[in-house]
Amino acid sequence: MAIDGIFLHLLLQELAPLAGDARVDRVHQPARETLLLALRSRSGNKRLLLSASPQTPRIQLTESNYENPGTPPMFCMLLRKHLSGARLMGFSQVERDRIVRIGFEGRNDFGDITHPKLVVEIMGRHSNIILTDGEGRILDAIKRIDPSMSSVRQVLPNLPYTLPPMQEKLDLLTAGGDAICTRMLQTPELPVEKAAMAAMMGISPVVAGEIAAYVSRSGPTAMGSLGKEGEERLRFFLQQLKEKAENGGQPAMVLTREGLPKDVSFIVPGQYGQQMATRTYPSYSALLDAFYAQKDLSERMKQRSGDLFRLLSNLSERTERRLQHQREELQQSQDRDRLRIQGDLLNANLYRLRKGETLARLENFYEPQAPILEIPLDARLTPAQNAQRYYAEYRKADTAEKMLRRLIEEGESDYAYLDTVMDNLLRAVSEAELDAIREELAKGGYLRRRAGKDKKPQRLLPDRYRSSDGFLILRGRSNLQNDQLTMREARKNDIWFHTQNIPGSHVLIVTGGEKVPDRTLEEAAIIAAYHSKAKAAALVPVDYTEIRNVRKPAGAKPGFVLYVNYKTAVVTPEEERVLTLQEK
C-alpha cells in the first residue's frame, strides 16, 4: 500500500488548518483498530479517522459513514476521558517516517490543563495508535505490545513512549536530488527501483517504480549500468519529484482495468501504460475515502460476523457430510429386491432344505434359464425362519429407502437454505443486517439465544431504489425480510424478481396498478442480479412475475417460495447503475 512518508507529509499539510481551531466533540471506535474523532470548528464539523489496521492503516478526514458498536471498547472510553472537549493543537511527523503525533490541550477532573497526545504509527502489520500524557508516558494503546511479542520495544501503560528503530535513509525534501542520486550510485548491484527504496526515506514502491520507469525505459536496469546519461536522467527526475512534493503533489489513485482500486500516490503514475487507469482527487482525504470505502466495510463486517461465518461453515459441512452418508445408505437399500427374491426362493424350496445348513444353492426362477443362486443361511434357524429373515431385511430396506429419501430431501433443503444465509452474510453492510441474520438463525433453531444477554435487534428496513421511470423498487436484506416483503407487504399487481436457481434477495417493483416500462423491469433485474451470489458474473438470469403467481409452501424455510407464469431476463450486474438508482 502506497501511503508513504511524502504522501503523509502532504496529507498533514491538508489537515494543518484544524490546529488550534477544532475541539474533540465525540470519540468513537467503530472497529477494533479504528478510531473516529468528531471535531467541532469554526469552519464546520469534521471527522478525523485514525486506523491501525494491518490492511488499512492511515489518518484522514472522512465523509464516509461508520456504524458504532453498542458498547464502546475500553480504549475508546479512555480516549473519551482524556480527549472529550480538548482542543486539537497540531500534527507533527517524525522526520519523513510514517509516524504522526497529534497534540491536544484539555483539562483533567481537577480543572488542570493537560497535553495528551495520540501517536499514530502507520507501519503495516506493526501499525498502532498510542495515547500518551504530556510527559510522553504511555496511558494505553489500541494494540498493547508486551515482552512476549517484542523484546526490543514494548507498548504498555506507564512505560515511556519510545520511537521504533529508525532507518538511515535520506529525505528527498531536505537532502535534495543530488545527495540521493549519490547514495543510490553507492549500490551499483541493485536495480534502480530497489536502490531508490534503499536510499530514500518516505517513498513507496509506486514512486520507486516511477523513478525506475523514467530512468531506464528499456526495462529493469542496475545502478551500475546507468551510464552518464542515465545518471543525469535520475538527477533530473528526483528534482522534478521534489518540486511536485513541495507544490502539494496530486492525489491520484491507480485502478485495474476492471476499475478496482489498486494503489494511491502523491503523483500521477505513468509507469503502467494501458495496463492500469488513474484517477485524480481534489484532496488526499477524499482519495483515501474512495480507496478504502469497500476495504473498511469488508474488514468491519469480517470482525463482527466471524462467529456467524464459523457457525454457518460448520453447519454446512455437517449437513454435507450427513447427506453423503445418507446417499450411500440409499444406494445400498436400492438392492432390496434381491432380499425379497432370496426369501421367495427359500419359501419355494423348504422341502429341500434342512436346519443346520449354511448355504442353499437354488434355481432362480425369476430369471431366464433359471441360473443357480447361492443363498447364505443361518445354521441356527430353520429354513422357514431363514426365509422370514430375508423378508424382514427386505421390509427394513424398503422402509429405510422411504425414510432416507425424505431425510435427503430435508437435508438438501437445509443445505440450500444455509447457502442463502451465507450469501446474505457475505453481502451484509451493517450491524442491523447481522442482527437480522442472528435472529433468523435463532428462530430456525440453528443458533442458541443467550438468555438475558441478546440485545433487541435493530429494525431492518428494505433497501429502496427509484427507477428511471419513477417506480419504487424494494430489496429484501435478509430471508425473513424477503418473506415479509413478498408474502405480506406486496400487492398482487406488484412485480417480483429473483435470480434463477441462485441465492439472492427478493426484489419488488411497487407498481401501484400501473403498467411498468421495460426500462424499469431491466433495472429491477439488475438490482436482483447485483444482490445475489452471482454478483461477479457477466450475465445473470433473473426470473420475474406478478406477486399473484408467487406462493410460499407450508413449512418452507425463510426466503423460499414457488412461482409460475414467469419470464426470464438475462442482465449484467452493474454496480454503478445500481448505486445511481439507490435512494439516499
Side-chain angles (χ1 to χ4, degrees), residues 416-417 419-424 427 475-479 482-483 486 496-507 527-535 540 558-561:
Y417 168 67
D419 195 24
T420 67
V421 180
M422 179 65 84
D423 178 60
N424 286 332
R427 289 186 284 107
R475 196 272 297 186
R477 297 163 65 190
S478 72
N479 284 321
N482 285 338
D483 282 349
T486 300
W496 178 89
F497 292 75
H498 194 280
T499 42
Q500 188 180 86
N501 300 323
I502 300 170
S505 296
H506 292 201
V507 173
I527 292 169
Y530 180 78
H531 292 290
S532 77
K533 195 173 182 179
K535 173 182 177 180
V540 182
F560 180 80
V561 295

Side-chain angles (χ1 to χ4, degrees), residues 218-232:
S218 59
T221 305
M223 287 298 301
S225 59
L226 277 184
K228 188 171 183 181
E229 181 182 351
E231 291 180 22
E232 291 302 318

Side-chain angles (χ1 to χ4, degrees), residues 535-548:
K535 173 182 177 180
L539 294 173
V540 182
V542 179
D543 295 337
Y544 64 98
T545 185
E546 289 187 333
I547 281 291
R548 68 175 84 238

